[in-house]
Amino acid sequence: MASKIEVKDLLEAGVHFGHLTRKWNPNMSPYIYMERNGIHVINLYKTVAKIEEANEALKKIAASGRKILFVATKKQAKDIVAEKVSNVNMPYITERWPGGMLTNFVTIRKAVKKMAAIDRMKKDGTFNTLSKKERLQVDRLRAKLEKNLGSIADMTRLPGAIFIVDTMREHIAVKEAQKLNIPIFAMVDTNSDPRPIDYVIPANDDAGKSIEAIMTEVTKAVAEGLAERKNEKAAEAKEAPAAKEEAPAKAKKEPAKEEKAPVKEVVAEPVVEKKEEPVTEKKAETKEEPKAKKAAAKADDLTKVEGAGPKAAEALVAAGIDTFAKLAKADPEKIKEILTEASSRMAHLDPTSWPKQAQMAADGKWDELKEWQDNAKGGVE
């Protein structure tokens, strides 16, 4: 990370204030430091550690090109989330969580397309041919859609992750994300249950300053991930013409080497034979070594498989499944065992379709994979 998160800054923002002790959830006890005046105090050292862990995962997701959906419908969080998230060009919900936003994403997309269709009507002049009453109805519909779904107009597929402020208020969003195996990042207060959340950030989710402090750190990580992706694309664009120029240059050098070879043989045939054997072996070894290193260094981004979050990808890499080709050959039951052994929180994941998706990715059929993921629900056929 560019700048380290300071406990002092979080303390000043009031991130440590929890709820009344009588309202607490016992599952939050590992994150509670003490109780004072009938209020629980959150351990900010654990908050800092959890923010850094969440930021690392968010950075990877943003760098992979997937969208992160931010959800905050409570009054004090609306404007803060909308401002911070719009700066990094990510989708967000701040008005009302539309039921089936994730589980019935196809229908939500139809509503967004309807909004685009109304805009086209206004541009091509067909809107003016409608009667006054019809125009008013269309305008009202457009305003309603813009209010509820305007911020997710660019989200053409299910998000790679979801970030929630106040999991008790947004319990429907949590359940939908769980059902579709979408990684959940959340600000969790002392009155909430952290068990369904993949990346818990223990923090005060009621104070505006606290929400702003956490959102600032989170959006910084997302911005860094997007910058990394931009730099990678720029580097690839530069390498492409350079590779084309190198290819003819190598072709010219090869015949020159072939001409020199017979000259050495004529000078001393027995000496050349003795020297050639160890030299060729060394050359073969030196060529094979960098190839082996390159193969070991290259590991595919398994989070591109729908349903596989950063933690699931880490567990698979640790088990030796670090490429799409290996994942395509793996047995779903074996994958399930690996995930369950790594963490009990990943026991609910359904990897049945992962080998199929990995095979498409390994074959380079990215358009076909995207189409399949858009039609499937969270990687489940």
Side-chain angles (χ1 to χ4, degrees), residues 16-172:
H16 61 295
F17 290 118
H19 276 267
L20 293 168
T21 51
R22 62 188 170 83
K23 288 186 178 181
W24 83 310
N25 189 310
N27 293 304
M28 279 297 289
S29 57
Y31 307 108
I32 295 170
Y33 177 66
M34 65 181 290
E35 176 260 321
R36 177 169 284 186
N37 300 331
I39 293 170
H40 277 129
V41 177
I42 295 164
N43 188 336
L44 289 182
Y45 288 101
K46 288 193 177 181
T47 301
V48 168
K50 287 291 180 181
I51 291 171
E52 285 174 354
E53 185 189 341
N55 283 357
E56 199 59 42
L58 286 167
K59 192 175 170 182
K60 282 181 185 177
I61 293 166
S64 71
R66 301 294 297 276
K67 293 281 184 185
I68 300 154
L69 178 64
F70 289 79
V71 185
T73 59
K74 57 164 54 180
K75 193 179 178 182
Q76 56 269 50
K78 274 184 187 183
D79 298 334
I80 297 164
V81 170
E83 184 194 339
K84 298 281 181 188
V85 177
S86 56
N87 290 338
V88 291
N89 198 27
M90 287 288 171
Y92 58 90
I93 297 285
T94 55
E95 281 307 318
R96 179 183 73 85
W97 178 262
M101 167 75 207
L102 298 175
T103 50
N104 196 14
F105 186 67
V106 177
T107 307
I108 299 293
R109 278 301 300 163
K110 281 178 185 175
V112 174
K113 283 176 184 175
K114 199 170 191 176
M115 198 163 60
I118 293 167
D119 291 338
R120 280 199 300 274
M121 280 171 67
K122 288 183 177 181
K123 281 182 182 177
D124 60 25
T126 52
F127 180 74
N128 296 323
T129 61
L130 301 172
S131 65
K132 187 179 177 181
K133 189 179 178 181
E134 284 174 330
R135 284 202 300 271
L136 277 169
Q137 286 174 340
V138 170
D139 276 333
R140 281 175 194 155
L141 177 63
R142 174 72 178 78
K144 188 182 175 183
L145 290 170
E146 179 63 41
K147 186 183 176 183
N148 293 325
L149 305 171
S151 56
I152 60 158
D154 297 331
M155 197 173 78
T156 55
R157 55 184 288 198
L158 284 169
I162 184 170
F163 188 99
I164 297 169
V165 178
D166 194 348
T167 53
M168 281 193 77
R169 189 183 175 93
E170 317 299 344
H171 64 280
I172 300 170

Side-chain angles (χ1 to χ4, degrees), residues 249-266:
K250 281 181 182 178
K252 286 177 184 178
K253 285 178 184 178
E254 278 173 9
K257 284 180 183 178
E258 284 172 10
E259 285 171 12
K260 287 178 184 179
V263 177
K264 285 182 182 177
E265 283 176 15
V266 174

Side-chain angles (χ1 to χ4, degrees), residues 293-325:
K293 283 178 185 176
K294 278 182 185 177
K298 277 188 180 180
D300 294 326
D301 182 6
L302 301 180
T303 57
K304 287 181 180 177
V305 171
E306 192 81 52
K311 284 191 175 180
E314 281 174 23
L316 291 172
V317 170
I321 303 170
D322 56 353
T323 61
F324 291 126

